[in-house]
Amino acid sequence: MREYRLFIGGEFVDSASGRTFDVVTPRDGSHIAHVAEAGAEDVHRAVAAARKAADHGPWPTMSQPERASRIMRLYELLMAEQSELSDLEAQDTGQTIRVSNLFGVPYGNEFWRFTAELYPKVELIEPVPAYGFPTPAWEFTLLEPHGVVGGITPWNVPYIENSWFLAPALATGNTVVLKPSPETPLTAMETARIAAESDLFPPGVLNVVPGGVEPGQTLVEDPGVDMIHFTGSTETGKRIMQLASGTLKKITLELGGKSPNILLDDADLDMAIPGSLWAVYLHSGQICQAGTRLFVPASLYDEVVARLVEATEGMTLGDPMDYGSDLGPLLNRRQLETVERYVQLGLDEGAKLLTGGQRVTEGVPEGGYYFEPTIFGEVDNGMKIAQEEIFGPVLAVIRYDSVDDAIRMANESIYGLAGAVWSRDVNRAVNVARRLKTGTIWVNDFHLIGPHAPFGGYKQSGIGREHGIWGLRENLQTKYVRVSQEATRDQKFWFQVLGL
Ligand code: NAD
Protein backbone atom coordinates (compact mmCIF):
# COMPACT_ATOMS: atom_id res chain seq x y z
CA MET A 1 0.00 0.00 0.00
CA ARG A 2 1.40 3.39 -0.99
CA GLU A 3 1.54 6.13 1.68
CA TYR A 4 1.58 9.85 0.94
CA ARG A 5 1.88 12.94 3.11
CA LEU A 6 1.13 16.58 2.38
CA PHE A 7 3.87 18.57 0.65
CA ILE A 8 4.24 21.95 2.38
CA GLY A 9 7.22 24.33 2.44
CA GLY A 10 9.50 21.75 0.82
CA GLU A 11 8.71 18.98 3.31
CA PHE A 12 6.40 15.99 3.46
CA VAL A 13 4.26 16.37 6.58
CA ASP A 14 1.22 14.82 8.24
CA SER A 15 -2.00 16.77 8.31
CA ALA A 16 -2.58 18.84 11.46
CA SER A 17 -5.60 16.69 12.32
CA GLY A 18 -3.72 13.45 11.63
CA ARG A 19 -6.58 12.45 9.30
CA THR A 20 -5.94 10.27 6.26
CA PHE A 21 -8.11 8.87 3.48
CA ASP A 22 -7.98 5.74 1.35
CA VAL A 23 -7.64 5.82 -2.40
CA VAL A 24 -9.52 3.10 -4.23
CA THR A 25 -8.86 1.89 -7.77
CA PRO A 26 -11.94 1.85 -10.05
CA ARG A 27 -10.48 -1.31 -11.56
CA ASP A 28 -11.74 -3.56 -8.73
CA GLY A 29 -12.59 -1.26 -5.81
CA SER A 30 -9.51 -2.24 -3.80
CA HIS A 31 -7.48 0.20 -1.69
CA ILE A 32 -4.22 1.21 -3.34
CA ALA A 33 -3.02 4.13 -1.22
CA HIS A 34 -3.30 5.93 2.06
CA VAL A 35 -3.08 9.73 1.84
CA ALA A 36 -2.88 12.47 4.48
CA GLU A 37 -6.02 14.61 4.24
CA ALA A 38 -5.49 18.36 4.24
CA GLY A 39 -7.79 20.46 6.40
CA ALA A 40 -8.14 24.24 6.72
CA GLU A 41 -5.10 24.56 9.00
CA ASP A 42 -2.87 22.70 6.53
CA VAL A 43 -4.01 24.89 3.66
CA HIS A 44 -3.25 28.05 5.65
CA ARG A 45 0.20 26.61 6.37
CA ALA A 46 0.77 25.84 2.68
CA VAL A 47 -0.39 29.31 1.66
CA ALA A 48 1.95 30.89 4.25
CA ALA A 49 4.87 28.89 2.82
CA ALA A 50 3.93 29.88 -0.73
CA ARG A 51 3.50 33.53 0.36
CA LYS A 52 6.95 33.58 1.92
CA ALA A 53 8.48 32.09 -1.24
CA ALA A 54 6.61 34.62 -3.38
CA ASP A 55 7.51 37.66 -1.27
CA HIS A 56 11.08 36.81 -0.24
CA GLY A 57 12.22 33.83 -2.23
CA PRO A 58 14.47 33.80 -5.26
CA TRP A 59 11.84 32.14 -7.47
CA PRO A 60 9.85 35.18 -8.71
CA THR A 61 12.97 37.26 -9.33
CA MET A 62 14.97 34.54 -11.11
CA SER A 63 15.73 35.27 -14.76
CA GLN A 64 13.37 33.87 -17.38
CA PRO A 65 15.96 31.43 -18.78
CA GLU A 66 16.86 30.20 -15.29
CA ARG A 67 13.28 29.36 -14.32
CA ALA A 68 12.61 27.88 -17.76
CA SER A 69 15.65 25.63 -17.50
CA ARG A 70 14.41 24.33 -14.13
CA ILE A 71 11.00 23.58 -15.65
CA MET A 72 12.75 21.74 -18.48
CA ARG A 73 14.83 19.76 -16.01
CA LEU A 74 11.68 18.72 -14.13
CA TYR A 75 10.18 17.65 -17.47
CA GLU A 76 13.20 15.38 -18.03
CA LEU A 77 12.78 13.86 -14.57
CA LEU A 78 9.07 13.27 -15.16
CA MET A 79 9.89 11.69 -18.52
CA ALA A 80 12.34 9.34 -16.82
CA GLU A 81 9.46 8.01 -14.70
CA GLN A 82 6.81 8.20 -17.42
CA SER A 83 6.11 4.49 -17.48
CA GLU A 84 5.57 4.22 -13.68
CA LEU A 85 3.47 7.40 -13.70
CA SER A 86 1.28 6.02 -16.53
CA ASP A 87 0.74 2.83 -14.59
CA LEU A 88 -0.23 4.71 -11.45
CA GLU A 89 -2.54 7.09 -13.32
CA ALA A 90 -4.39 4.14 -14.90
CA GLN A 91 -4.82 2.46 -11.52
CA ASP A 92 -5.92 5.63 -9.81
CA THR A 93 -8.41 6.89 -12.42
CA GLY A 94 -9.45 3.72 -14.26
CA GLN A 95 -8.36 5.19 -17.60
CA THR A 96 -7.01 2.33 -19.69
CA ILE A 97 -3.29 1.79 -19.70
CA ARG A 98 -3.40 2.57 -23.44
CA VAL A 99 -4.95 5.97 -22.67
CA SER A 100 -2.52 6.79 -19.86
CA ASN A 101 0.53 5.54 -21.80
CA LEU A 102 -0.24 7.05 -25.18
CA PHE A 103 -2.15 10.12 -24.08
CA GLY A 104 -2.54 10.98 -20.37
CA VAL A 105 1.02 11.08 -19.06
CA PRO A 106 3.18 11.83 -22.15
CA TYR A 107 0.69 14.48 -23.18
CA GLY A 108 0.73 15.98 -19.67
CA ASN A 109 4.54 16.03 -19.82
CA GLU A 110 4.45 17.87 -23.12
CA PHE A 111 2.99 20.89 -21.33
CA TRP A 112 6.09 21.11 -19.12
CA ARG A 113 8.42 20.91 -22.13
CA PHE A 114 6.47 23.33 -24.29
CA THR A 115 6.10 25.87 -21.46
CA ALA A 116 9.84 25.72 -20.74
CA GLU A 117 10.52 26.53 -24.39
CA LEU A 118 7.84 29.18 -24.84
CA TYR A 119 8.23 31.19 -21.65
CA PRO A 120 11.73 32.64 -22.34
CA LYS A 121 10.34 34.04 -25.61
CA VAL A 122 7.65 36.08 -23.85
CA GLU A 123 8.46 39.81 -23.84
CA LEU A 124 8.10 40.81 -20.19
CA ILE A 125 8.90 44.47 -20.86
CA GLU A 126 7.19 46.23 -23.73
CA PRO A 127 7.06 49.89 -24.76
CA VAL A 128 3.73 51.74 -24.57
CA PRO A 129 3.01 53.92 -27.62
CA ALA A 130 3.15 57.65 -26.90
CA TYR A 131 -0.03 59.52 -25.97
CA GLY A 132 -0.69 63.20 -26.42
CA PHE A 133 0.25 64.55 -22.97
CA PRO A 134 1.99 67.90 -23.32
CA THR A 135 5.29 66.64 -21.96
CA PRO A 136 7.15 63.48 -22.93
CA ALA A 137 7.64 60.28 -20.96
CA TRP A 138 9.27 56.91 -21.32
CA GLU A 139 6.43 54.43 -20.89
CA PHE A 140 6.46 50.68 -20.72
CA THR A 141 4.63 47.67 -19.31
CA LEU A 142 6.04 45.00 -17.05
CA LEU A 143 4.48 41.55 -16.92
CA GLU A 144 4.74 40.25 -13.37
CA PRO A 145 3.60 37.08 -11.60
CA HIS A 146 0.46 37.37 -9.48
CA GLY A 147 2.25 35.95 -6.43
CA VAL A 148 0.56 32.89 -4.93
CA VAL A 149 -1.70 30.90 -7.26
CA GLY A 150 -4.01 28.20 -5.91
CA GLY A 151 -4.95 25.34 -8.23
CA ILE A 152 -7.97 23.11 -7.70
CA THR A 153 -8.23 20.17 -10.09
CA PRO A 154 -10.76 17.40 -10.86
CA TRP A 155 -10.45 13.63 -10.73
CA ASN A 156 -10.89 12.60 -14.35
CA VAL A 157 -7.48 13.18 -15.99
CA PRO A 158 -5.49 14.54 -13.05
CA TYR A 159 -1.99 14.22 -14.50
CA ILE A 160 -3.00 16.34 -17.48
CA GLU A 161 -4.98 18.84 -15.39
CA ASN A 162 -2.18 19.25 -12.85
CA SER A 163 0.42 19.81 -15.60
CA TRP A 164 -1.90 22.32 -17.29
CA PHE A 165 -2.04 24.27 -14.05
CA LEU A 166 1.48 23.86 -12.67
CA ALA A 167 3.75 24.38 -15.68
CA PRO A 168 2.60 27.89 -16.70
CA ALA A 169 1.92 29.08 -13.13
CA LEU A 170 5.44 28.13 -12.01
CA ALA A 171 7.28 29.18 -15.17
CA THR A 172 5.87 32.69 -14.91
CA GLY A 173 7.32 33.06 -11.39
CA ASN A 174 4.29 32.37 -9.22
CA THR A 175 4.43 30.06 -6.23
CA VAL A 176 1.63 27.51 -6.06
CA VAL A 177 -0.62 25.52 -3.79
CA LEU A 178 -2.20 22.61 -5.65
CA LYS A 179 -5.26 20.90 -4.20
CA PRO A 180 -5.84 17.77 -6.23
CA SER A 181 -9.10 15.83 -6.05
CA PRO A 182 -9.27 13.37 -3.14
CA GLU A 183 -10.53 10.74 -5.61
CA THR A 184 -7.31 10.63 -7.69
CA PRO A 185 -4.41 12.44 -5.98
CA LEU A 186 -1.61 9.94 -6.63
CA THR A 187 0.28 11.32 -9.62
CA ALA A 188 0.12 14.82 -8.06
CA MET A 189 1.85 13.39 -4.98
CA GLU A 190 4.43 11.67 -7.21
CA THR A 191 5.05 14.96 -9.03
CA ALA A 192 5.69 16.56 -5.63
CA ARG A 193 8.11 13.75 -4.74
CA ILE A 194 10.03 14.10 -8.02
CA ALA A 195 10.16 17.89 -7.62
CA ALA A 196 11.30 17.56 -3.98
CA GLU A 197 14.09 15.11 -4.86
CA SER A 198 15.28 17.39 -7.65
CA ASP A 199 16.01 20.45 -5.49
CA LEU A 200 14.93 22.60 -8.43
CA PHE A 201 12.30 24.52 -6.49
CA PRO A 202 13.09 26.49 -3.34
CA PRO A 203 10.92 25.55 -0.32
CA GLY A 204 7.38 26.88 -0.59
CA VAL A 205 7.38 27.32 -4.38
CA LEU A 206 5.36 24.12 -4.87
CA ASN A 207 2.90 22.84 -2.25
CA VAL A 208 0.43 19.97 -2.66
CA VAL A 209 -2.49 19.50 -0.26
CA PRO A 210 -4.91 16.74 -1.30
CA GLY A 211 -8.41 16.79 0.14
CA GLY A 212 -11.99 17.67 -0.65
CA VAL A 213 -14.35 20.61 -0.22
CA GLU A 214 -12.95 22.03 3.04
CA PRO A 215 -9.35 22.56 1.87
CA GLY A 216 -10.68 23.72 -1.51
CA GLN A 217 -12.85 26.42 0.04
CA THR A 218 -10.10 27.45 2.42
CA LEU A 219 -7.69 27.89 -0.46
CA VAL A 220 -10.14 30.09 -2.37
CA GLU A 221 -10.90 32.26 0.65
CA ASP A 222 -7.37 32.60 2.08
CA PRO A 223 -6.30 36.27 1.70
CA GLY A 224 -2.72 35.10 1.07
CA VAL A 225 -3.74 33.66 -2.31
CA ASP A 226 -3.73 36.07 -5.27
CA MET A 227 -5.30 33.94 -7.98
CA ILE A 228 -7.29 30.71 -8.28
CA HIS A 229 -7.17 28.39 -11.24
CA PHE A 230 -10.11 26.00 -10.96
CA THR A 231 -10.93 23.03 -13.16
CA GLY A 232 -14.07 21.07 -12.38
CA SER A 233 -17.83 21.11 -12.72
CA THR A 234 -19.84 24.19 -13.64
CA GLU A 235 -21.77 23.95 -10.38
CA THR A 236 -18.60 24.05 -8.26
CA GLY A 237 -17.16 26.75 -10.54
CA LYS A 238 -20.06 29.02 -9.62
CA ARG A 239 -19.34 28.43 -5.94
CA ILE A 240 -15.64 29.22 -6.48
CA MET A 241 -16.62 32.51 -8.09
CA GLN A 242 -18.74 33.43 -5.06
CA LEU A 243 -16.02 32.45 -2.59
CA ALA A 244 -13.31 34.32 -4.51
CA SER A 245 -15.36 37.52 -4.44
CA GLY A 246 -14.66 37.95 -0.70
CA THR A 247 -11.05 38.85 -1.48
CA LEU A 248 -11.66 39.77 -5.13
CA LYS A 249 -9.18 37.23 -6.48
CA LYS A 250 -8.50 36.75 -10.11
CA ILE A 251 -9.98 33.42 -11.20
CA THR A 252 -9.80 31.21 -14.22
CA LEU A 253 -12.50 28.55 -14.53
CA GLU A 254 -12.31 25.48 -16.77
CA LEU A 255 -15.71 23.84 -16.41
CA GLY A 256 -18.12 21.28 -17.81
CA GLY A 257 -19.31 20.63 -21.33
CA LYS A 258 -21.90 18.93 -23.52
CA SER A 259 -20.07 19.22 -26.80
CA PRO A 260 -21.96 19.09 -30.08
CA ASN A 261 -20.52 16.95 -32.86
CA ILE A 262 -22.06 17.72 -36.26
CA LEU A 263 -21.88 15.37 -39.23
CA LEU A 264 -22.59 17.22 -42.48
CA ASP A 265 -24.14 15.24 -45.31
CA ASP A 266 -20.85 15.13 -47.24
CA ALA A 267 -18.81 13.79 -44.31
CA ASP A 268 -16.41 10.92 -44.93
CA LEU A 269 -18.27 8.40 -42.80
CA ASP A 270 -15.33 5.99 -42.65
CA MET A 271 -13.55 8.68 -40.65
CA ALA A 272 -16.48 10.48 -39.03
CA ILE A 273 -18.10 7.40 -37.47
CA PRO A 274 -15.02 6.13 -35.61
CA GLY A 275 -14.17 9.79 -34.99
CA SER A 276 -17.52 10.29 -33.27
CA LEU A 277 -16.89 7.27 -31.05
CA TRP A 278 -13.40 8.55 -30.21
CA ALA A 279 -15.12 11.86 -29.36
CA VAL A 280 -17.48 10.29 -26.83
CA TYR A 281 -15.78 7.16 -25.47
CA LEU A 282 -12.27 8.40 -24.60
CA HIS A 283 -11.83 7.53 -20.89
CA SER A 284 -15.40 6.13 -20.93
CA GLY A 285 -16.81 9.59 -21.56
CA GLN A 286 -15.29 11.08 -18.42
CA ILE A 287 -13.75 13.99 -20.34
CA CYS A 288 -14.98 17.59 -20.17
CA GLN A 289 -14.98 18.19 -23.93
CA ALA A 290 -16.42 14.76 -24.86
CA GLY A 291 -18.60 14.85 -27.98
CA THR A 292 -21.78 13.65 -26.31
CA ARG A 293 -24.35 15.12 -28.72
CA LEU A 294 -24.08 13.81 -32.25
CA PHE A 295 -26.11 15.68 -34.89
CA VAL A 296 -26.81 13.55 -37.97
CA PRO A 297 -28.62 14.63 -41.17
CA ALA A 298 -31.96 12.83 -41.64
CA SER A 299 -30.77 11.46 -45.00
CA LEU A 300 -27.89 9.58 -43.33
CA TYR A 301 -29.51 8.82 -39.99
CA ASP A 302 -30.28 5.10 -40.44
CA GLU A 303 -26.90 4.28 -41.93
CA VAL A 304 -24.94 6.27 -39.35
CA VAL A 305 -26.82 4.84 -36.40
CA ALA A 306 -26.40 1.25 -37.66
CA ARG A 307 -22.65 1.75 -38.11
CA LEU A 308 -22.24 3.47 -34.72
CA VAL A 309 -23.96 0.57 -32.98
CA GLU A 310 -21.95 -2.05 -34.83
CA ALA A 311 -18.64 -0.33 -34.02
CA THR A 312 -19.63 0.20 -30.38
CA GLU A 313 -20.55 -3.44 -29.94
CA GLY A 314 -17.13 -4.38 -31.28
CA MET A 315 -15.32 -2.45 -28.53
CA THR A 316 -13.77 -4.24 -25.57
CA LEU A 317 -14.72 -3.09 -22.09
CA GLY A 318 -12.36 -4.50 -19.51
CA ASP A 319 -9.55 -4.25 -17.00
CA PRO A 320 -7.85 -0.87 -17.50
CA MET A 321 -4.47 -2.48 -16.88
CA ASP A 322 -4.99 -4.84 -19.83
CA TYR A 323 -3.61 -3.54 -23.14
CA GLY A 324 -6.53 -5.21 -24.91
CA SER A 325 -9.18 -2.99 -23.26
CA ASP A 326 -10.67 -0.17 -25.32
CA LEU A 327 -12.76 1.12 -22.42
CA GLY A 328 -12.20 0.95 -18.68
CA PRO A 329 -14.44 1.44 -15.65
CA LEU A 330 -16.12 4.57 -14.34
CA LEU A 331 -14.52 6.31 -11.36
CA ASN A 332 -16.64 4.93 -8.54
CA ARG A 333 -20.06 3.69 -7.46
CA ARG A 334 -21.49 7.21 -7.38
CA GLN A 335 -20.48 7.81 -11.00
CA LEU A 336 -21.90 4.42 -12.00
CA GLU A 337 -25.21 5.25 -10.34
CA THR A 338 -25.29 8.68 -11.99
CA VAL A 339 -24.88 7.11 -15.43
CA GLU A 340 -27.56 4.53 -14.65
CA ARG A 341 -29.91 7.28 -13.53
CA TYR A 342 -29.39 9.16 -16.81
CA VAL A 343 -30.02 6.01 -18.86
CA GLN A 344 -33.35 5.57 -17.04
CA LEU A 345 -34.10 9.25 -17.58
CA GLY A 346 -33.40 8.85 -21.32
CA LEU A 347 -35.84 5.95 -21.49
CA ASP A 348 -38.46 7.88 -19.51
CA GLU A 349 -38.03 10.88 -21.81
CA GLY A 350 -38.75 8.69 -24.85
CA ALA A 351 -35.29 8.32 -26.38
CA LYS A 352 -34.53 4.98 -28.04
CA LEU A 353 -31.81 2.87 -26.40
CA LEU A 354 -29.83 1.46 -29.34
CA THR A 355 -27.07 -0.35 -27.49
CA GLY A 356 -25.61 -0.64 -23.98
CA GLY A 357 -27.34 0.83 -20.94
CA GLN A 358 -26.25 -1.78 -18.38
CA ARG A 359 -23.64 -2.30 -15.68
CA VAL A 360 -21.13 -5.00 -16.54
CA THR A 361 -19.93 -7.60 -14.06
CA GLU A 362 -18.97 -10.49 -16.38
CA GLY A 363 -15.50 -10.59 -17.95
CA VAL A 364 -14.22 -7.64 -15.91
CA PRO A 365 -12.39 -7.54 -12.56
CA GLU A 366 -14.79 -8.15 -9.69
CA GLY A 367 -15.65 -5.08 -7.60
CA GLY A 368 -14.96 -2.53 -10.39
CA TYR A 369 -17.39 0.05 -11.79
CA TYR A 370 -17.97 -1.02 -15.39
CA PHE A 371 -20.72 0.30 -17.64
CA GLU A 372 -21.49 -0.59 -21.25
CA PRO A 373 -20.84 2.01 -23.94
CA THR A 374 -24.33 3.30 -24.63
CA ILE A 375 -26.08 4.98 -27.55
CA PHE A 376 -29.47 6.65 -27.52
CA GLY A 377 -31.21 7.42 -30.82
CA GLU A 378 -34.23 9.64 -31.54
CA VAL A 379 -32.99 12.10 -28.93
CA ASP A 380 -34.62 15.51 -28.75
CA ASN A 381 -32.10 18.25 -27.96
CA GLY A 382 -34.34 19.47 -25.14
CA MET A 383 -34.14 16.17 -23.25
CA LYS A 384 -32.07 16.05 -20.08
CA ILE A 385 -29.73 13.45 -21.63
CA ALA A 386 -28.93 16.06 -24.31
CA GLN A 387 -28.64 19.02 -21.95
CA GLU A 388 -26.90 17.75 -18.81
CA GLU A 389 -23.34 16.55 -18.44
CA ILE A 390 -23.54 12.79 -17.73
CA PHE A 391 -19.77 12.17 -17.59
CA GLY A 392 -20.04 8.59 -18.78
CA PRO A 393 -20.02 6.57 -22.03
CA VAL A 394 -23.41 7.76 -23.26
CA LEU A 395 -23.96 9.17 -26.75
CA ALA A 396 -27.14 11.07 -27.69
CA VAL A 397 -27.84 10.96 -31.45
CA ILE A 398 -30.01 13.81 -32.69
CA ARG A 399 -31.52 13.90 -36.19
CA TYR A 400 -31.56 17.19 -38.11
CA ASP A 401 -33.18 18.41 -41.33
CA SER A 402 -31.14 21.48 -42.24
CA VAL A 403 -27.67 22.68 -41.27
CA ASP A 404 -29.28 25.79 -39.75
CA ASP A 405 -31.30 23.50 -37.48
CA ALA A 406 -28.19 21.57 -36.45
CA ILE A 407 -26.38 24.80 -35.57
CA ARG A 408 -29.35 26.18 -33.65
CA MET A 409 -29.67 22.98 -31.57
CA ALA A 410 -25.91 22.72 -31.06
CA ASN A 411 -25.97 26.22 -29.57
CA GLU A 412 -29.02 25.49 -27.40
CA SER A 413 -26.96 24.53 -24.35
CA ILE A 414 -25.71 26.27 -21.24
CA TYR A 415 -22.26 24.91 -22.13
CA GLY A 416 -19.80 26.09 -24.75
CA LEU A 417 -16.57 24.19 -24.23
CA ALA A 418 -15.92 22.49 -27.58
CA GLY A 419 -17.47 20.93 -30.66
CA ALA A 420 -16.69 19.41 -34.05
CA VAL A 421 -17.84 19.43 -37.65
CA TRP A 422 -17.22 16.62 -40.15
CA SER A 423 -17.29 17.38 -43.87
CA ARG A 424 -15.26 16.79 -47.04
CA ASP A 425 -15.76 20.48 -47.85
CA VAL A 426 -13.49 22.41 -45.51
CA ASN A 427 -14.95 25.82 -46.36
CA ARG A 428 -18.42 24.57 -45.57
CA ALA A 429 -17.18 23.11 -42.26
CA VAL A 430 -15.42 26.33 -41.30
CA ASN A 431 -18.58 28.32 -41.98
CA VAL A 432 -20.42 26.06 -39.52
CA ALA A 433 -17.50 26.33 -37.04
CA ARG A 434 -17.83 30.11 -37.08
CA ARG A 435 -21.48 29.92 -36.04
CA LEU A 436 -20.96 27.56 -33.08
CA LYS A 437 -20.69 29.19 -29.65
CA THR A 438 -17.84 27.17 -28.20
CA GLY A 439 -14.22 27.85 -27.25
CA THR A 440 -12.77 25.07 -29.44
CA ILE A 441 -13.96 23.58 -32.73
CA TRP A 442 -12.37 20.68 -34.54
CA VAL A 443 -12.97 20.07 -38.22
CA ASN A 444 -12.71 16.35 -39.01
CA ASP A 445 -11.09 15.66 -35.65
CA PHE A 446 -11.70 15.61 -31.91
CA HIS A 447 -9.89 15.98 -28.56
CA LEU A 448 -6.58 17.27 -29.95
CA ILE A 449 -5.58 20.23 -27.79
CA GLY A 450 -1.91 21.08 -28.15
CA PRO A 451 0.13 22.97 -25.55
CA HIS A 452 0.46 25.78 -28.12
CA ALA A 453 -3.26 26.51 -28.60
CA PRO A 454 -5.81 28.32 -26.41
CA PHE A 455 -8.33 26.15 -24.55
CA GLY A 456 -11.32 27.35 -22.55
CA GLY A 457 -15.04 27.72 -22.53
CA TYR A 458 -17.73 30.04 -23.83
CA LYS A 459 -20.90 30.47 -21.73
CA GLN A 460 -21.05 28.33 -18.57
CA SER A 461 -18.03 26.26 -19.61
CA GLY A 462 -15.59 28.72 -18.16
CA ILE A 463 -13.69 31.96 -17.89
CA GLY A 464 -10.17 32.44 -19.23
CA ARG A 465 -7.87 30.41 -21.45
CA GLU A 466 -5.19 27.82 -20.81
CA HIS A 467 -2.08 26.95 -22.85
CA GLY A 468 0.32 28.74 -25.13
CA ILE A 469 0.79 32.45 -24.79
CA TRP A 470 -2.85 32.80 -23.66
CA GLY A 471 -2.27 30.54 -20.64
CA LEU A 472 0.98 32.26 -19.71
CA ARG A 473 -0.73 35.66 -19.85
CA GLU A 474 -3.43 34.49 -17.41
CA ASN A 475 -0.64 33.85 -14.89
CA LEU A 476 0.88 37.31 -15.30
CA GLN A 477 -0.42 40.73 -14.47
CA THR A 478 0.37 43.93 -16.30
CA LYS A 479 2.06 46.87 -14.59
CA TYR A 480 2.31 50.21 -16.37
CA VAL A 481 5.38 52.38 -15.69
CA ARG A 482 5.58 56.05 -16.73
CA VAL A 483 8.97 57.68 -16.39
CA SER A 484 8.54 61.39 -16.76
CA GLN A 485 11.00 63.07 -19.10
CA GLU A 486 10.22 66.69 -18.19
CA ALA A 487 13.49 68.52 -17.70
CA THR A 488 12.31 71.15 -15.23
CA ARG A 489 9.58 71.79 -12.68
CA ASP A 490 8.06 74.42 -14.97
CA GLN A 491 7.24 71.82 -17.55
CA LYS A 492 4.90 69.95 -15.20
CA PHE A 493 1.44 70.93 -16.33
CA TRP A 494 -0.12 69.74 -13.08
CA PHE A 495 1.50 72.57 -11.15
CA GLN A 496 -1.00 74.82 -12.92
CA VAL A 497 -3.94 72.52 -12.12
CA LEU A 498 -3.59 72.89 -8.35
CA GLY A 499 -1.76 76.19 -8.43
CA LEU A 500 1.24 74.78 -6.55
P1 NAD B 1 -15.93 18.95 -9.00
O1 NAD B 1 -16.40 20.30 -9.38
O2 NAD B 1 -16.81 18.11 -8.15
O3 NAD B 1 -14.54 19.03 -8.21
C1 NAD B 1 -13.42 19.66 -8.78
C2 NAD B 1 -12.44 20.01 -7.68
O4 NAD B 1 -13.05 20.98 -6.82
C3 NAD B 1 -12.05 18.85 -6.77
O5 NAD B 1 -10.69 19.00 -6.40
C4 NAD B 1 -12.96 19.04 -5.56
O6 NAD B 1 -12.42 18.47 -4.38
C5 NAD B 1 -13.01 20.55 -5.46
N1 NAD B 1 -14.21 21.12 -4.81
C6 NAD B 1 -15.46 20.60 -4.77
N2 NAD B 1 -16.29 21.46 -4.13
C7 NAD B 1 -15.56 22.54 -3.78
C8 NAD B 1 -15.85 23.77 -3.11
N3 NAD B 1 -17.08 24.06 -2.68
N4 NAD B 1 -14.85 24.66 -2.93
C9 NAD B 1 -13.60 24.40 -3.39
N5 NAD B 1 -13.26 23.24 -4.02
C10 NAD B 1 -14.23 22.33 -4.22
O7 NAD B 1 -15.57 18.19 -10.37
P2 NAD B 1 -15.10 16.68 -10.55
O8 NAD B 1 -16.28 15.80 -10.36
O9 NAD B 1 -13.85 16.43 -9.79
O10 NAD B 1 -14.65 16.69 -12.10
C11 NAD B 1 -15.53 16.52 -13.15
C12 NAD B 1 -15.93 17.87 -13.74
O11 NAD B 1 -14.77 18.58 -14.16
C13 NAD B 1 -16.79 17.75 -14.98
O12 NAD B 1 -17.82 18.70 -14.90
C14 NAD B 1 -15.83 18.09 -16.11
O13 NAD B 1 -16.47 18.58 -17.26
C15 NAD B 1 -14.97 19.11 -15.46
N6 NAD B 1 -13.67 19.23 -16.16
C16 NAD B 1 -13.43 20.37 -16.90
C17 NAD B 1 -12.23 20.48 -17.62
C18 NAD B 1 -11.92 21.68 -18.49
O14 NAD B 1 -10.76 21.87 -18.85
N7 NAD B 1 -12.91 22.50 -18.84
C19 NAD B 1 -11.28 19.45 -17.55
C20 NAD B 1 -11.57 18.33 -16.77
C21 NAD B 1 -12.76 18.24 -16.07
Side-chain angles (χ1 to χ4, degrees), residues 2-82:
R2 291 166 176 271
E3 303 272 344
Y4 292 99
R5 299 200 290 167
L6 314 179
F7 186 56
I8 298 177
E11 289 180 4
F12 288 96
V13 295
D14 290 324
S15 61
S17 66
R19 278 201 311 260
T20 60
F21 62 92
D22 290 329
V23 174
V24 162
T25 173
R27 180 189 189 198
D28 59 10
S30 63
H31 290 164
I32 54 170
H34 222 64
V35 181
E37 182 178 359
E41 197 181 328
D42 304 300
V43 171
H44 289 313
R45 222 163 11 125
V47 171
R51 188 77 263 161
K52 193 169 160 202
D55 294 343
H56 308 291
W59 187 254
T61 51
M62 248 175 220
S63 72
Q64 268 173 296
E66 173 63 28
R67 264 202 315 270
S69 75
R70 291 179 186 228
I71 298 288
M72 186 61 94
R73 181 73 195 121
L74 181 66
Y75 157 75
E76 289 161 0
L77 296 170
L78 293 168
M79 285 295 287
E81 298 200 31
Q82 184 155 283

Side-chain angles (χ1 to χ4, degrees), residues 159-458:
Y159 194 78
I160 293 175
E161 297 301 339
N162 294 332
S163 311
W164 284 10
F165 161 60
L166 290 172
L170 287 169
T172 45
N174 296 286
T175 64
V176 303
V177 178
L178 168 64
K179 191 212 74 67
S181 167
E183 309 285 355
T184 56
L186 302 188
T187 48
M189 301 320 299
E190 287 293 330
T191 303
R193 173 191 57 80
I194 294 168
E197 287 170 4
S198 74
D199 254 354
L200 291 166
F201 303 95
V205 169
L206 168 66
N207 305 274
V208 186
V209 285
V213 175
E214 184 198 341
Q217 292 200 167
T218 308
L219 187 59
V220 181
E221 290 185 299
D222 191 312
V225 176
D226 300 292
M227 172 181 167
I228 288 289
H229 173 85
F230 172 81
T231 307
S233 64
T234 292
E235 201 186 326
T236 311
K238 291 178 183 175
R239 180 76 185 126
I240 299 293
M241 204 165 176
Q242 287 172 337
L243 293 170
S245 72
T247 43
L248 216 63
K249 288 183 175 58
K250 169 172 171 137
I251 50 172
T252 53
L253 301 174
E254 295 289 346
L255 309 177
K258 191 78 190 177
S259 298
N261 187 19
I262 302 178
L263 261 62
L264 298 186
D265 57 10
D266 63 348
D268 173 353
L269 295 186
D270 290 341
M271 181 165 66
I273 288 173
S276 300
L277 298 180
W278 154 248
V280 68
Y281 292 147
L282 176 64
H283 193 13
S284 294
Q286 301 168 115
I287 296 279
C288 53
Q289 76 270 7
T292 45
R293 291 185 295 153
L294 180 62
F295 293 91
V296 181
S299 59
L300 295 177
Y301 185 86
D302 292 341
E303 180 189 353
V304 168
V305 155
R307 290 177 64 177
L308 287 168
V309 169
E310 189 189 349
T312 295
E313 291 177 352
M315 294 179 85
T316 306
L317 173 68
D319 185 345
M321 304 315 285
D322 181 345
Y323 267 87
S325 299
D326 298 321
L327 294 164
L330 300 179
L331 174 78
N332 55 23
R333 187 172 311 283
R334 194 188 64 232
Q335 204 59 25
L336 195 64
E337 286 169 0
T338 301
V339 174
E340 268 182 339
R341 202 174 60 245
Y342 274 107
V343 168
Q344 188 55 50
L345 205 58
L347 292 169
D348 295 346
E349 286 179 309
K352 189 170 167 196
L353 183 61
L354 299 172
T355 187
Q358 299 290 329
R359 281 182 195 210
V360 176
T361 50
E362 298 289 312
V364 293
E366 202 182 329
Y369 312 108
Y370 297 84
F371 198 86
E372 289 174 331
T374 299
I375 302 179
F376 274 109
E378 308 302 345
V379 177
D380 182 290
N381 190 52
M383 290 177 182
K384 285 201 164 64
I385 57 164
Q387 288 296 314
E388 297 181 10
E389 190 181 42
I390 301 173
F391 230 53
V394 182
L395 178 64
V397 186
I398 301 166
R399 191 195 296 261
Y400 72 83
D401 292 320
S402 70
V403 175
D404 282 349
D405 266 352
I407 295 170
R408 176 185 51 76
M409 290 189 283
N411 286 334
E412 278 171 5
S413 167
I414 62 163
Y415 297 111
L417 189 57
V421 188
W422 300 80
S423 169
R424 285 193 171 89
D425 180 341
V426 170
N427 286 338
R428 196 173 167 223
V430 169
N431 279 330
V432 174
R434 291 173 70 109
R435 294 172 63 192
L436 293 174
K437 306 260 184 285
T438 67
T440 293
I441 299 283
W442 293 278
V443 172
N444 297 329
D445 211 338
F446 217 96
H447 288 308
L448 253 70
I449 304 161
H452 65 301
F455 183 66
Y458 279 26

